[in-house]
Structure formats: structure tokens, C-alpha cells
Amino acid sequence: MRTTTGKEDLELPLLQGIVSILCCVFMLFLFLSELTGFIATEIVNELYVDDPDKSSGGKIDVSLNISLPNLNCDLVGLDIQDEMGRHEVGHIDNSMKIPLNHGFGCRFEGEFTINKFCLCVHLQVPGNFHVSTHSATAQPQSPDMTHIIHKLAFGEKLQVQHVQGAFNALGGADRLGSNPLASHDYILKIVPTVYEDLSGKQRFSYQYTVANKEYVAYSHTGRIIPAIWYRYDLSPITVKYTERRQPLYRFITTICAIIGGTFTVAGIIDSCIFTASEAWKKIQIGKMS
């Protein structure tokens, strides 16, 4: 007569040990996953109608960087105007002109402000700023307005991981292959953007969408005087990004649920293994008898 009860008595603890090890590994995996989610921050975005940066005094900071490789720096100027009556020709504050191509071209870098709204009635003010030869003492015969836009940004610089916005939508725009005498119109829709970190500190920036067209414009004297126009209007909609982190109580609750649930499932599996083992023993004993 051959018996297998000794071997089966060894197999049962082995299976139970394997189940215990697998449960511990599973709990560790879930714990690490929850810990990673607890440490990481989540970016939540929302839309609302309001002016978020009321402390700006109704102004928006603008940063412009553009290269005109075929236009001398003496001819390049920045003009700003809006519907509040501002009309500034040849803006020079906080601006710099860098000669290119041995003086035949120019790179214009400038920082200036535009009016966001009229403080008296709090209405948004559309307007434009443009790069042209209007401020030059003598107008050239054939001004070449082919250009590359390196940067056009509004408001505070905002570079945050996981926030992909159109903060420099015109960056890299290449118009070197355009008609040299053509004017360029960039129509911008500026969208206020707020970023709030975990500490509650807010940063104010602006995204924008852009459409453009190219055309040849004649002055009242019949001459072609091209320019690079940026015509802007503000959106009443504000985009807000908020950093959030999972609350500690929720993390603790989840960990307790993982531990309790895993031990419950492990107990059920262990009970099933034990029941099956006992049933198998009875079958074997019945055959031997």
C-alpha cells in the first residue's frame, strides 16, 4: 500500500507560503503606486470670465524679438497704437537693435506694455503694434520686410511641466520667402492665463491664437510702404491652471484599503487551497481503503 499524505502535508504549507509572498509583492506594488501618486502634483485647469490680474494697472507686458535680414537698423522702428488714443511712433524704451549681415539686416528686441482695458469704464481695448519704417527720417525706395519671428510673448514667463500652451505661438515663424514689399498682418486673440502653485502663489501670463495674411499696401502717395502688423484683441475668458496634491487622509485611507483588501483576498485563497487539499486527502483515503 502506497501513501502520499506526507508529501501532501508538505505541499500545503508551500502553497500557502507562495500565496503569502505574492500578496506581499502585490501590496508593495500598490503601495508604491499610491505613494507616487501622492507625491506627484496634478494640474487642474478651468475656465471663467474675469480679469485675473487686477493689480497690473490695465497693462500687459510684451516681449518681441524679430529679425529682418534685409533691412538696415536705421530704418527699423516700432509703432504702438490703440483705441484709447495711444499713438506712439518709433518706440525706443527697453529696446535694442542688433545689426545683421554686415549691417544690411537688423534684429529688433524690445519689451513694452500695451493697454489691456480702459480704467475709467473697465472695457477691453483692442489695438496694434507694428514693425515698420514709419519712424525713419527718410523712407527707403524698396523696404524689404521679410522676417523671422523668434519670440512674441505676453505677460510673465510661464514654463511649467505638463502645461502645454500657446504662450509663444509665433515663435519660429519664417517669412523669408515672402514678397519683400508685402505687409504682414498677424491677428492675435489674447487669452489671460493664471498658474497657481501648491503654495497659492499666482503667476499671470497670456496665451494667444493667431491668424495671418500677406498683402501689398499702397500709401496715399502711391508708394508701397510695407509693415509687420500685430493686431490684438483680448478674450474675456481666463484659463486657470492649479496645482493640486492628493490629501493625506485620502492616501492613508487608500493604503488601509489596500492592506485590508489584500489580506481578505489572501485569506479567501488560503481557505480555498486548504479546503481543496482536505477534499483531495479524503478522495485519496477513499481510494486506498
Side-chain angles (χ1 to χ4, degrees), residues 129-147:
F129 51 92
H130 51 278
V131 177
S132 68
T133 62
H134 298 164
S135 60
T137 54
Q139 293 297 318
Q141 290 297 320
S142 299
D144 188 334
M145 281 293 167
T146 54
H147 60 277

Side-chain angles (χ1 to χ4, degrees), residues 38-269:
F38 174 70
I39 295 174
T41 56
E42 179 187 12
I43 306 296
V44 180
N45 62 75
E46 58 181 315
L47 302 176
Y48 61 93
V49 180
D50 192 16
D51 172 36
D53 189 12
K54 295 181 174 63
S55 62
S56 64
K59 303 287 185 182
I60 299 178
D61 294 325
V62 184
S63 179
L64 175 64
N65 189 329
I66 182 172
S67 290
L68 299 96
N70 301 309
L71 194 64
N72 189 278
C73 282
D74 293 336
L75 302 173
V76 176
L78 176 68
D79 310 327
I80 308 171
Q81 60 189 50
D82 60 36
E83 292 188 6
M84 283 181 62
R86 181 182 183 182
H87 192 180
E88 187 175 347
V89 179
H91 180 88
I92 58 174
D93 294 338
N94 298 319
S95 62
M96 179 171 54
K97 300 178 185 179
I98 304 171
L100 300 175
N101 299 336
H102 305 288
F104 290 102
C106 186
R107 178 165 178 156
F108 178 86
E109 299 179 11
E111 294 183 357
F112 53 97
T113 61
I114 57 176
N115 291 315
K116 180 163 55 174
F117 53 77
C118 179
L119 293 174
C120 54
V121 292
H122 207 78
L123 292 176
Q124 295 173 349
V125 179
N128 72 79
F129 51 92
H130 51 278
V131 177
S132 68
T133 62
H134 298 164
S135 60
T137 54
Q139 293 297 318
Q141 290 297 320
S142 299
D144 188 334
M145 281 293 167
T146 54
H147 60 277
I148 299 176
I149 301 173
H150 306 289
K151 178 183 179 183
L152 176 61
F154 299 87
E156 192 174 345
K157 184 178 181 181
L158 186 62
Q159 287 185 336
V160 181
Q161 192 177 10
H162 306 307
V163 175
Q164 303 296 329
F167 297 99
N168 185 23
L170 275 174
D174 188 335
R175 300 293 182 267
L176 295 181
S178 301
N179 180 353
L181 294 176
S183 290
H184 299 264
D185 259 15
Y186 296 102
I187 292 80
L188 314 175
K189 192 68 172 182
I190 302 175
V191 182
T193 304
V194 184
Y195 186 87
E196 182 176 317
D197 60 22
L198 289 173
S199 66
K201 180 182 178 182
Q202 292 185 337
R203 284 183 281 172
F204 302 96
S205 187
Y206 296 85
Q207 303 181 62
Y208 62 93
T209 59
V210 58
N212 67 283
K213 63 180 179 179
E214 180 181 329
Y215 58 93
V216 176
Y218 294 86
S219 69
H220 62 279
T221 61
R223 293 184 57 186
I224 299 176
I225 306 180
I228 304 169
W229 296 82
Y230 303 92
R231 306 182 192 273
Y232 62 85
D233 193 8
L234 271 80
S235 169
I237 302 297
T238 294
V239 179
K240 183 178 183 181
Y241 298 98
T242 307
E243 281 188 358
R244 292 181 184 172
R245 182 172 287 167
Q246 181 181 345
L248 179 61
Y249 73 86
R250 187 179 297 174
F251 172 70
I252 296 174
T253 303
T254 304
I255 295 303
C256 292
I258 289 173
I259 295 173
T262 304
F263 274 116
T264 301
V265 173
I268 294 172
I269 295 174

